[in-house]
Amino acid sequence: MTEETITIDSISNGILNNLLTTLIQDIVARETTQQQLLKTRYPDLRSYYFDPNGSLDINGLQKQQESSQYIHCENCGRDVSANRLAAHLQRCLSRGARR
Amino acid sequence: MTMDTAQLKSQIQQYLVESGNYELISNELKARLLQEGWVDKVKDLTKSEMNINESTNFTQILSTVEPKALEIVSDSTRETVLKQIREFLEGIVDTQ
């Protein structure tokens, strides 16, 4: 009787193990294939930099204040601060390129 | 009459698949593992192993990921699915 219980237990464990390893193989196969594809398409691909303190950006460089960056507005020809660009474009474009 | 263990195992496996129970159990397991975040953990583990080893070789990555992934399956999921399999086996195997 004990022998039978052990057999059922061992077979159950074997089946669960089979299911789990199949899932793991599936995940690893997908991830490795995806990585290979990315490497082939973009040979210079670098993964994004992660700074736990949040002081560096995704390229591992010091974060810049948005207000210190100026973007040239093609519509009116002025240089606009990055954190004002969206608001500027909304007004600039709605005025029909007058300014 | 004694039956070869491997033969018995393959018969049980075949019956499990034919009766549709294999799929049911497999789906239940997948859903539980997805819910508890195991799938994401294994994905992250695979990515970090690929970075550490600087390799995308399936066999190499699998050999390092598999034991770790098996270890992080929660006890509750393991127990629930094992119970399901055991119940099914007890229904079909003659324990006399």
Side-chain angles (χ1 to χ4, degrees):
Chain A
M1 198 61 188
T2 325
E3 244 180 62
E4 291 296 337
T5 318
I6 290 167
T7 311
I8 283 182
D9 276 355
S10 68
I11 292 176
S12 309
N13 276 316
I15 291 170
L16 179 67
N17 221 44
N18 266 353
L19 285 165
L20 285 171
T21 46
T22 311
L23 284 175
I24 297 167
Q25 282 169 13
D26 192 43
I27 295 170
V28 174
R30 273 170 207 263
E31 291 298 318
T32 48
T33 313
Q34 196 183 22
Q35 194 62 31
Q36 279 166 10
L37 190 74
L38 281 172
K39 270 191 176 174
T40 320
R41 270 195 196 164
Y42 313 104
D44 302 326
L45 183 74
R46 282 191 305 129
S47 54
Y48 288 138
Y49 184 83
F50 171 65
D51 178 30
N53 303 319
S55 57
L56 301 178
D57 67 9
I58 53 170
N59 299 312
L61 305 169
Q62 279 294 332
K63 280 184 182 173
Q64 274 184 304
Q65 281 290 321
E66 277 186 351
S67 56
S68 68
Q69 291 174 318
Y70 284 85
I71 297 164
H72 184 72
C73 175
E74 296 286 344
N75 198 35
C76 64
R78 281 194 282 178
D79 288 331
V80 187
S81 169
N83 56 2
R84 296 286 311 148
L85 183 71
H88 168 81
L89 280 179
Q90 192 185 21
R91 270 184 287 117
C92 189
L93 292 171
S94 67
R95 281 173 188 156
R98 271 187 289 128
R99 290 184 68 181
Chain B
M1 206 170 88
T2 53
M3 194 185 267
D4 186 35
T5 323
Q7 208 180 339
L8 180 72
K9 272 186 184 174
S10 79
Q11 266 193 13
I12 290 171
Q13 193 95 7
Q14 194 185 342
Y15 187 76
L16 200 63
V17 174
E18 281 172 1
S19 63
N21 277 299
Y22 194 84
E23 206 181 334
L24 281 179
I25 295 168
S26 171
N27 288 344
E28 163 87 13
L29 181 67
K30 272 185 205 166
R32 282 182 161 271
L33 292 173
L34 194 66
Q35 220 165 26
E36 71 180 39
W38 179 87
V39 175
D40 292 325
K41 280 182 197 162
V42 177
K43 276 185 190 173
D44 287 345
L45 200 63
T46 312
K47 279 179 192 158
S48 69
E49 286 297 332
M50 283 194 291
N51 279 335
I52 293 166
N53 297 310
E54 287 179 353
S55 155
T56 51
N57 182 288
F58 173 76
T59 324
Q60 190 192 346
I61 302 297
L62 184 70
S63 66
T64 51
V65 170
E66 198 175 83
K68 291 179 190 169
L70 285 173
E71 233 172 72
I72 55 171
V73 178
S74 76
D75 289 343
S76 65
T77 301
R78 200 177 272 275
E79 271 313 305
T80 315
V81 178
L82 263 180
K83 195 176 158 224
Q84 235 181 329
I85 301 171
R86 220 176 281 139
E87 273 169 12
F88 168 78
L89 288 181
E90 273 160 8
I92 57 156
V93 177
D94 182 14
T95 51
Q96 293 303 304

